[in-house]
Amino acid sequence: MNGWRALLGLFVAGNLGLLVWGLWGVDGSMRAIEAPGLRAEWVAVERPWKQAVDVVLSPQPPAPKINLKQGQANLDSAIESASKQVLEDPKKNQQCRLWGPLLQSESARVQESLSDWNGSFKRLERQVPVGYVVYLPQDTVNSGVGIEQLSGKGITDMFYITTPGPLQGTISLGLFRDQDRANVQKDDLAKRGVAGVQIRERLGPARVFFELRGSPAQIEAVESIFKLNRKGELKPCDS
């Protein structure tokens, strides 16, 4: 048994000696390892930064073609349209309504109802006719036709007008609310031989009117406002 151990130890020692002799040369320098399995160039090492990369570029869409002639035509058309809008009278399509006559107390309520209306309005004060007067002009009276002469023709409803104004110095021959009845009186006086009789409106105290101007849609809106505030009349303006 001891003999086998001694023989095994000699065998291991011999192999170690051969290994040392293989690593070190006769001159004492270390030999290079030339074992194929240990050579560095045979070890596969990946180097991705040295690999060629194929760059794939996505195709760019073709640039749109510009039609300079058509573009200039569109520009000219736009300029012409804008010029027409600037030069066009903004009031051309506006409509006008006159709301009245109104008492002072009524006008405040109507003006308040128009506070949110986006059209334009103007407050006016005018004297409105309250009837008609049939009268003998001042020139005729000054020529000698007076109360006595008219009484001789059977006329009883008459008096001198002395109130300052356009009718001062004339003779009233009847007051009427309706113009048709005033015309009947004038014709009857002519049959009685009274010449030169005229008819004139009798103006009452000043009343308030609102002159309303706006587009058709705005006028339609103000008509709806009038239905909720039926004071006076809403009618087209005279001019």
Side-chain angles (χ1 to χ4, degrees):
M1 188 69 174
N2 293 331
W4 282 103
R5 289 180 178 178
L7 182 60
L8 181 60
L10 290 173
F11 178 74
V12 172
N15 285 333
L16 289 175
L18 289 174
L19 178 60
V20 172
W21 179 85
L23 291 174
W24 297 92
V26 178
D27 56 359
S29 62
M30 188 175 181
R31 293 185 178 182
I33 299 176
E34 296 181 356
L38 298 177
R39 295 180 62 178
E41 60 269 23
W42 289 2
V43 178
V45 178
E46 294 185 2
R47 297 177 175 85
W49 56 87
K50 289 188 176 183
Q51 296 179 3
V53 179
D54 294 334
V55 179
V56 179
L57 300 177
S58 59
Q60 296 294 325
K65 294 183 179 180
I66 300 176
N67 190 333
L68 296 178
K69 183 179 294 186
Q70 183 62 39
Q72 184 63 42
N74 293 339
L75 178 60
D76 293 342
S77 177
I79 293 175
E80 182 180 0
S81 177
S83 299
K84 287 182 179 180
Q85 292 179 1
V86 171
L87 295 176
E88 186 177 0
D89 185 1
K91 298 182 179 180
K92 182 178 180 181
N93 295 324
Q94 284 194 337
Q95 299 180 6
C96 180
R97 294 291 185 273
L98 193 66
W99 189 344
L102 303 167
L103 299 174
Q104 293 292 339
S105 58
E106 295 172 337
S107 67
R109 179 177 175 181
V110 170
Q111 186 165 346
E112 182 180 358
S113 70
L114 294 171
S115 59
D116 294 331
W117 186 61
N118 55 4
S120 63
F121 67 87
K122 182 167 55 176
R123 189 178 188 274
L124 307 172
E125 289 193 10
R126 297 177 181 174
Q127 284 185 295
V128 296
V130 294
Y132 299 87
V133 55
V134 179
Y135 67 99
L136 199 63
Q138 185 177 10
D139 292 342
T140 304
V141 174
N142 292 339
S143 67
V145 179
I147 298 295
E148 294 181 0
Q149 288 80 359
L150 295 173
S151 295
K153 297 179 182 293
I155 301 171
T156 58
D157 184 12
M158 56 183 174
F159 61 89
Y160 281 107
I161 298 178
T162 58
T163 304
L167 294 178
Q168 185 177 13
T170 65
I171 297 177
S172 171
L173 299 173
L175 303 176
F176 304 91
R177 290 183 177 275
D178 185 81
Q179 188 173 8
D180 291 337
R181 293 185 62 184
N183 288 328
V184 171
Q185 174 72 351
K186 179 181 178 181
D187 293 341
D188 182 63
L189 291 170
K191 292 177 182 179
R192 296 186 183 192
V194 181
V197 176
Q198 297 183 11
I199 299 175
R200 188 186 183 105
E201 290 181 339
R202 289 194 303 127
L203 299 178
R207 293 290 184 262
V208 178
F209 291 83
F210 288 97
E211 186 180 84
L212 311 163
R213 295 185 182 275
S215 64
Q218 291 170 335
I219 294 300
E220 184 177 352
V222 86
E223 289 173 350
S224 299
I225 296 174
F226 172 74
K227 292 178 181 178
L228 300 175
N229 301 273
R230 288 186 176 275
K231 301 293 182 181
E233 295 180 315
L234 182 68
K235 57 184 180 180
C237 299
D238 296 335
S239 58

